Amino acid sequence: MSLTPQEILSGLDAEQLQVASNLHGPMVVVAGAGTGKTRAITHRIAHGVAAGEYVPQQVLAVTFTARAAAEMRTRLRGLGAAGVQAHTFHAAALRQLQYFWPQSVGGVLPNLVDHKASLVAEAARRLRVNADRATVRDLAGEIEWAKVSMLTPETYGAPSIQRDPVADLDHTALARVYQAYEDVKADRGLIDFEDVLLLMVGILEDDERVAAQVRSQYRHFTVDEYQDVSPLQQRLLDLWVGTRGELCVVGDPSQTIYSFTGATPRHLLEFTRTHPEAQEVHLVRDYRSTPQVVHLANRLLGGRHPERGVDQRGTVWPEPLELIAQREKGPEPEYHELPDDESEAVFVAQRIKSLMQRDGVKLRDIAVLYRTNGQSEALERALSAQNLGYQLRGAERFFQRREVREGLAQIRSSARNAPLEQATQLSRDLLASLGWQRNAPTAAGAVRERWESLAALVALADELDAAKPEGEHLTMESFAAELEARAATAHAPVVEGVTLASLHSSKGLEWGTVFLVGLSEGLMPISFAETQSDFDEERRLLYVGVTRAETRLILSWSLSRTTGGRGRRRRSRFLAGLAPATGRESVTADAAQSRTRRSAAPVRCRVCGTVLETPAERKLRRCSTCPSIYDEAVFEALRTWRSEAAKEAGMPAFVIFTDATLMAIAEEMPQSPQALLAIPGIGRSKLERFGEDVMSVLVDLR
């Protein structure tokens, strides 16, 4: 299909048109969730090809998942730009490495290992480090972080000192494990995925002939999800591009959720500084979600602690994009509080069944998203009890499932013997012998999962056949070819079932209905989040979850992990000011103060204005995640006074005033005893006993 430049540009909104019509020079596109970024950049590439400005084979589009790359290739083919290369960073680098290794290094390229676990376990054994499966996984993650951060075992120490230890190993021990892992790989003649990038970087840096050949091959570059690039990927990109400015990058700082892997948004945020001549375009029209969902997403980022200013890693954050909804209104987001995790899972399953039966919602259009993979077990049980199909995203890859491999073998054989047979009915006959039937089985577990896989192949044949021009049909030969291509790029078809996925693995996807579960403190934000940067990233992660919803968004949390538990959990701090009040009150140490608060107006954060929920927050009059505003010298002077007063009175220091009360005094800097009395934690008796001394300390420091 051949389209004119005008046809390619038609139908784009003003900002998308600005992206697609400017074909040369560096460009940075800051694109909010659901704003059509893939549409904008694929139309830009196709426009360049149609206008004769780009040679398709000289364009490289890079993204982060095989699924996204496959989608980009499909769109480009539909726009008449079939020759454009669209790959992940690793896939593009591997193709180059396989081609240039014999001439630049010589010999046969070492085998690529799919998973590090066995090699990391061997490295741990060599060092007599006890490592169970979870520890091996954590060690592998730390090694990956080090490699994409371009750290060797020798240089690992200093940059990693701020990172949490793994399995109680200090950073010196972790460096030894890292070196042992590299030794195991070398002994077995293997390379890993990070080595693919590192080796290609080394070849391009050391061999000018190879660098010149690559730059001659690729003249125009587009990078999607640019907020997720690692230092290693950026180094490779710099070597690909060279001194030319033909680079278009697209990303959204508010969707930065992979910092723990070594990804950094700094390259996106500083693009106009490193490329002063770059054009900058913001995409803010949200075509995915209803105004109700968009409004919640905007409030989530712009409410309590908007990401702006300089964070603890030195990254300068701008104001988050404010999305503008383009769809008609839909239902308001729902908020549900359940007594325990099991009850929450049952509620979700029953609500899904109701949506399916009453409203006709398809299971494939529903997702349940959670913070950790361990939360899926209760959901799986509840869905199975309601006889609802589901698929676990991030579990075994679709094309690696036994029934799918068997189905592919049957289809390949049929394609050889009857290549021009219509695929829709013949594929049904073939897959029926493997367990497919027209109606879903009532059994749960493996039987249902097998049927779901085979049904996905049947549905894909129907979908491809329906896309054919009138009078034409999908043949077995073309169906087999399509499946081979999808298997090679891990482009799995959609399975008819509810998607269960972690928030991280939901990135880049969308569903009509999204359940966000487990929104309680300790899970969202996760318990090991400690710094402001950690909390900011957790908030962005929830934002990603919210913006996956097209129409219906249902948020829930439970008060206890186990059935019959004491219900001490609190809902996520990120829901403060968003979800309606539950009527539950936190128990304070001072019952009289608690009763007073219940009848008084809500206390709001002095920094961002959000209603405060915990006693500690109310005492400080600010959110726990908002920056403190007290003078450290004042706080330390108050602590010194308290220590001396405690010794003189013969009582513990905290009985006089807690640290939280001292912090509140340092932040308020009261000008009078009456103002001091207004601070939570200071009653009449304490004012009479210690007020004069406290005021003297403050006067001396003013």
Side-chain angles (χ1 to χ4, degrees), residues 312-390:
Q312 292 162 307
R313 299 185 179 100
T315 303
V316 181
W317 292 85
E319 294 279 351
L321 292 179
E322 183 165 353
L323 302 178
I324 303 172
Q326 303 297 301
R327 290 185 54 193
E328 294 183 358
K329 67 179 183 179
E332 291 291 337
E334 300 176 22
Y335 301 89
H336 297 272
E337 181 175 274
L338 287 307
D340 53 67
D341 289 354
E342 199 71 29
S343 299
E344 185 179 15
V346 171
F347 158 75
V348 169
Q350 291 176 342
R351 187 66 200 283
I352 289 173
K353 192 161 190 176
S354 173
L355 288 170
M356 181 182 69
Q357 295 177 341
R358 188 187 63 194
D359 301 328
V361 177
K362 294 183 179 298
L363 294 181
R364 67 169 62 186
D365 291 332
I366 301 174
V368 185
L369 308 180
Y370 36 77
R371 178 60 178 85
T372 67
N373 287 322
Q375 293 170 260
S376 74
E377 184 180 354
L379 293 161
E380 292 179 62
R381 289 198 304 269
L383 290 170
S384 295
Q386 294 291 336
N387 195 31
L388 297 170
Y390 63 87

Side-chain angles (χ1 to χ4, degrees), residues 482-501:
E482 176 70 20
L483 289 174
E484 292 285 359
R486 285 174 174 251
T489 58
H491 183 197
V494 178
V495 174
E496 183 55 45
V498 177
T499 299
L500 301 180

Side-chain angles (χ1 to χ4, degrees), residues 547-567:
T547 55
R548 298 311 93 197
E550 296 173 340
T551 303
R552 188 179 284 103
L553 183 62
I554 302 169
L555 305 93
S556 64
W557 60 94
S558 67
L559 303 179
S560 173
R561 185 175 66 84
T562 58
T563 303
R566 302 184 67 176

Side-chain angles (χ1 to χ4, degrees), residues 121 129-139 167:
V129 172
N130 293 324
D132 57 18
R133 181 178 298 180
T135 301
V136 167
R137 183 190 61 232
D138 292 343
L139 289 171

Side-chain angles (χ1 to χ4, degrees), residues 546-604:
V546 167
T547 55
R548 298 311 93 197
E550 296 173 340
T551 303
R552 188 179 284 103
L553 183 62
I554 302 169
L555 305 93
S556 64
W557 60 94
S558 67
L559 303 179
S560 173
R561 185 175 66 84
T562 58
T563 303
R566 302 184 67 176
R568 292 180 173 177
R569 276 181 175 170
R570 289 196 303 118
R571 68 183 182 187
S572 170
R573 68 191 68 185
F574 301 143
L575 297 181
L578 303 178
T582 62
R584 298 172 61 250
E585 295 292 333
S586 300
V587 178
T588 68
D590 189 330
Q593 284 185 359
S594 179
R595 287 194 296 271
T596 301
R597 290 191 190 104
R598 280 197 286 271
S599 60
V603 180
R604 294 185 177 274

